[in-house]
Amino acid sequence: MGFLLLIPFYLVRFSLMAALDREAIGRAAHFPPMPGGEKVAYYLYQLSTVALLLGILPARVRTTPPALFGTGLLLYLAGLALLAGAVRDFAAPAPGGMRRLGLYRLSRNPMYLAYFVFFVGCTMLVQSPLLLAITAVFQLSAHWVILAEERWCIRQFGEDYVRYMAEVRRYF
């Protein structure tokens, strides 16, 4: 059943993060103020997240065709590994609060990237075109949320974040 796919996700996203730093859960749940269209994107992001989780819960993992199953499994595991690394790095104390170590040296948004890779893997494992479409909405809306977060980071961290943006890609 698809719900088994979500257990490692929740263990990494919440249990690992809480074990590393309880306050990190609150920081990860923080969304900056979003005007107009970004607010719509925020709601689409939240709704698509819920739709993905609820859609995966009752789904069945399909092992044929083998190439699709293998690719889905690879993306699923890569998403979990990337998420574990992003959570570890996010939870690590950072002087001034800005993360620049670990995966944050390679991507300004490794957690969002991990979510996307994980959900694409899940949709391939359950072979759901509908969930794949919802994943596309999820990623497009996440991009607009990320733009708002970047503006917030510039206000919060100033020139340090602007330099970070010049040095590190938004994704990979």
Side-chain angles (χ1 to χ4, degrees):
M1 296 293 280
F3 76 91
L4 293 174
L5 296 173
L6 297 176
I7 293 170
F9 176 81
Y10 281 109
L11 288 173
V12 170
R13 174 63 177 84
F14 296 104
S15 298
L16 177 61
M17 189 176 286
L20 294 172
D21 179 7
R22 280 208 176 277
E23 293 176 9
I25 292 177
R27 288 193 312 270
H30 175 264
F31 288 93
M34 294 180 211
E38 287 173 347
K39 192 172 282 192
V40 171
Y42 168 78
Y43 290 120
L44 280 173
Y45 174 78
Q46 296 296 347
L47 288 172
S48 61
T49 300
V50 170
L52 283 167
L53 297 173
L54 291 177
I56 292 168
L57 277 175
R60 294 185 50 134
V61 172
R62 298 171 194 256
T63 58
T64 57
L68 186 59
F69 173 75
T71 303
L73 184 60
L74 181 67
L75 289 172
Y76 170 81
L77 293 172
L80 284 175
L82 188 57
L83 181 58
V87 163
R88 177 203 62 216
D89 298 337
F90 184 83
M98 197 169 110
R99 307 285 181 262
R100 294 186 82 155
L101 301 174
L103 291 174
Y104 287 86
R105 290 177 297 133
L106 306 171
S107 169
R108 296 193 309 262
N109 300 285
M111 216 175 303
Y112 283 109
L113 184 60
Y115 297 154
F116 177 67
V117 172
F118 173 82
F119 284 132
V120 169
C122 285
T123 62
M124 291 178 79
L125 287 171
V126 301
Q127 297 181 26
S128 171
L130 176 59
L131 289 179
L132 187 59
I134 294 169
T135 301
V137 170
F138 168 83
Q139 189 59 29
L140 288 171
S141 60
H143 177 73
W144 291 100
V145 170
I146 288 167
L147 295 177
E149 287 181 357
E150 287 179 343
R151 278 196 314 279
W152 180 86
C153 287
I154 290 170
R155 285 192 304 274
Q156 189 77 15
F157 304 114
E159 279 303 309
D160 283 345
Y161 195 79
V162 172
R163 276 191 302 279
Y164 177 61
M165 290 174 75
E167 296 166 4
V168 177
R169 294 173 173 249
R170 182 174 286 134
Y171 302 110
F172 273 122

